[in-house]
Structure formats: structure tokens, C-alpha cells
Amino acid sequence: MKASTHNAITTLISRSPVLAPCEPDLTAAVEALIATYEHHGKLIACGNGGSAADAEHIVGELMKGFLLPRKLGADWQAKFEAACPASADYFLKNLQGTLPAISLVNAVALGTAFANDQAPDLVFAQQVLGMGNENDTLLAISTSGNSTNVLYALDMARAKGMRTIALTGRSGGKIASEHRADITIRVPEDETYKIQELHLPVYHMLCIAVEQEFFG
């Protein structure tokens, strides 16, 4: 891990000292994401309600420049000039390097069809079954730690050999008590909105750290 990557963790703790007890799990989560991207994997995120919005937010920070410009290099210039010369300059000016990530919360047609035909609480698990690979990481967000569809998504990710990270509140719920995730970041709050207020700086830090690692 680069020094600049580790600085993202220390900066988070200095700005939000309440998160200091989470530091070992924060470090483990950053290391897991670095390993994912080093092995050409992707992040898959899921959650319900406000946590669904957080899953989308995370994808937005990873799939384009967050704090860094992520300019594409000469290798991409050569590929663009060979494949689509008329678009090459425009692509190089505007496109940015990515950290591949997808959210499971917006598959409306699939989700409604599967919920109607099969089992609503398996809708995330079905998507992990179809899209998850061994080098991927599932980031499962549940303020209570008890969201059934998130629990099943974690189970499916384990069955597929994926890394798993959970974001929860203080208790961790079933995710923590049943050890459903490899890494569980339990922010020290109990009310849903207060948990969500701490989830935001945590996942911003994760995005900053991996961006520093690969584009810093």
C-alpha cells in the first residue's frame, strides 16, 4: 500500500475521530479493494433505501475521476487511433481511467421479474450469481446488518469465492454475529440516519484510497 493510500485512512480518522475503533477494518477493506483491482476484478455494491443510494454513489466515484484526473495514457491513444481515429482526440480529452464497479440496485426489469417469479429476497443473490467472479469484491451495505437480501448476497459471494466487505452500524446485526462478511466495518452509531452519516465518509475514504493507489 502506498503512503498516499494509507494517508487516506489517517485523514479520515483525523477528520472523524469517532471512527478510530474501525481503523483495522478500514485498512483491511482498502487492502481487499487493492487486491481486487490488482487482479482485474470489480466492485459490486448493494443495499436498500438510503444504502441503495450509497451503492450508486460509490459506483459514481470509482468509475470516473474523484480527486484525481485519471488521464488516459499513450497505450489508450494508440488503441483509439487504430480503432476509431475520428474519435481519438475527443476520447483522450474527456475520458478517464476507471476502477470497475457496478451497483445491483437499478436492475428494475430483472429485479421485478425475479421478485415476482421467484423470491424477492434473493434478487441481489441472483445478480451476484450471474455477474460475480472470484477476483471481485462485494460491498454490502446494511445499517442494521440484518437486511435479508443483503445477507443472501453475501452468502452467494462467498459461494463464488469473492471477497466481501460489509458496512453496518455498531451492532453489526446478523452480518457480524454470523460472520457473513470477510470484513465488517461497524460504524459506532445505532440510529439509521446517524449510521448513514458515518457510512458516507467511510466509503469516500475507500474510493480515495484506491484511486491514490492506482492513479496517484
Side-chain angles (χ1 to χ4, degrees):
M1 186 189 298
K2 294 179 181 176
S4 58
T5 303
H6 191 265
N7 285 345
I9 302 171
T10 57
T11 299
L12 171 66
I13 300 300
S14 68
R15 293 181 62 214
S16 301
V18 68
L19 293 170
C22 302
E23 186 169 1
D25 293 315
L26 295 171
T27 301
V30 170
E31 291 172 345
L33 290 175
I34 290 172
T36 291
Y37 288 121
E38 283 179 337
H39 292 88
H40 308 290
K42 62 184 176 290
L43 179 74
I44 298 175
C46 67
N48 300 291
S51 298
D54 288 335
E56 286 289 295
H57 188 163
I58 292 163
V59 171
E61 307 296 21
L62 291 173
M63 286 288 289
K64 59 174 288 297
F66 183 16
L67 300 186
L68 302 176
R70 303 195 199 175
K71 293 292 185 181
L72 299 181
D75 55 339
W76 278 110
Q77 181 176 356
K79 290 176 182 179
F80 294 151
E81 289 175 349
C84 47
S87 305
D89 288 344
Y90 188 59
F91 281 3
L92 288 167
K93 181 179 178 181
N94 292 286
L95 293 179
Q96 297 175 304
T98 68
L99 292 162
I102 57 175
S103 163
L104 302 183
V105 305
N106 276 337
V108 177
L110 169 62
T112 53
F114 191 82
N116 184 65
D117 298 342
Q118 299 299 130
D121 56 3
L122 292 178
V123 66
F124 291 154
Q126 178 67 27
Q127 293 180 77
V128 175
L129 174 63
M131 293 187 288
N133 297 307
E134 188 171 323
N135 289 325
D136 296 341
T137 291
L138 177 69
L139 178 58
I141 310 170
S142 172
T143 57
S144 68
N146 295 319
S147 303
T148 306
N149 55 358
V150 172
L151 290 167
Y152 285 139
L154 286 164
D155 289 346
M156 179 57 68
R158 176 170 292 182
K160 296 209 70 173
M162 296 166 57
R163 300 175 183 85
T164 55
I165 301 169
L167 267 178
T168 73
R170 190 193 316 269
S171 77
K174 291 180 180 178
I175 290 175
S177 66
E178 298 175 3
H179 306 288
R180 301 288 270 271
D182 299 326
I183 302 159
T184 302
I185 302 169
R186 299 161 58 177
V187 302
E189 282 292 355
D190 302 297
E191 292 183 81
T192 297
Y193 81 95
K194 293 180 180 178
I195 295 168
Q196 290 170 333
E197 287 174 352
L198 290 179
H199 280 182
L200 174 60
V202 166
Y203 66 69
H204 266 172
M205 181 280 293
L206 296 177
C207 296
I208 291 167
V210 292
E211 183 179 64
Q212 289 282 2
E213 184 73 16
F214 293 98
F215 296 99

